[in-house]
């Protein structure tokens, strides 16, 4: 349905065999702290949008939970149709329903105005350290 190709529009998706995909899907689908939303085009069955929510269980805030939105992408041919807003809204609602006290995400400077329209505010900075495999 084009899920991996869609993720490739966001970043390097890598070579993922069908067996690898199925194995990872089984891990994720069995984890109540992980949600993936996909938008599928009715006519073609093609996946045209996706985003993920990972719930972090914390000791802070009375053993609260924090939602992390990741891997947000809408097919380049479908951008501007408010599909990204639908993805973000669905995951923010899910985070709240799961008892998260906040939901956060990282984004590029270029995408910050979009997330502001989704109700997010700029807070602090992001740091990253990549590991070569």
């Amino acid at each position: 349905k084009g899920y991996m190709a869609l993720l490739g529009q966001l970043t390097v998706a890598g070579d993922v065999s069908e067996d690898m995909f199925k194995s990872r899907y089984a891990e994720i689908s069995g984890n109540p702290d992980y949600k993936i939303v996909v938008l599928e085009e009715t006519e073609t069955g093609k996946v045209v949008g996706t985003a993920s929510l990972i719930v972090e269980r914390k000791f802070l805030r009375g053993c609260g939970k924090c939602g992390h939105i990741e891997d947000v992408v809408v097919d380049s041919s479908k951008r501007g149709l408010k599909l990204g807003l639908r993805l973000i809204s669905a995951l923010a609602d899910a985070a709240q329903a799961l008892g998260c006290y906040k939901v956060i995400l990282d984004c590029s400077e270029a995408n910050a105005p979009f997330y502001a329209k989704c109700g997010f505010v700029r807070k602090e900075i992001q740091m990253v350290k990549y590991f070569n495999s």
Side-chain angles (χ1 to χ4, degrees):
K1 293 191 174 194
Y3 183 75
M4 291 304 300
L6 179 63
L7 287 177
Q9 292 183 33
L10 178 65
T11 189
V12 177
D15 294 325
V16 177
S17 70
E18 188 173 340
D19 285 343
M20 291 167 62
F21 185 92
K22 287 178 179 179
S23 176
R24 180 53 46 97
Y25 179 80
E27 289 174 31
I28 291 170
S29 63
N31 185 339
D33 292 330
Y34 206 117
K35 306 287 180 209
I36 298 176
V37 174
V38 296
L39 298 174
E40 186 176 311
E41 190 172 54
T42 308
E43 299 80 27
T44 65
K46 180 181 172 188
V47 176
V48 295
T50 188
S52 300
L53 171 70
I54 299 95
V55 176
E56 175 188 7
R57 294 171 182 264
K58 304 174 80 66
F59 288 103
L60 299 171
R61 307 246 179 180
C63 289
K65 294 188 262 184
C66 171
H68 297 261
I69 292 178
E70 290 282 338
D71 303 337
V72 179
V73 62
V74 171
D75 187 270
S76 59
S77 69
K78 302 296 181 185
R79 293 179 189 157
L81 302 175
K82 301 196 184 291
L83 299 179
L85 177 62
R86 289 177 60 189
L87 290 168
I88 297 301
S89 295
L91 291 181
D93 290 348
Q96 188 173 29
L98 290 167
C100 294
Y101 69 91
K102 69 177 178 179
V103 64
I104 61 177
L105 56 80
D106 297 321
C107 70
S108 67
E109 275 298 321
N111 289 335
F114 164 73
Y115 290 109
K117 288 179 186 174
C118 294
F120 286 76
V121 296
R122 191 179 292 266
K123 185 171 188 316
E124 300 173 358
I125 62 170
Q126 172 200 37
M127 304 290 288
V128 64
K129 181 174 183 175
Y130 287 102
F131 301 104
N132 294 330
S133 51

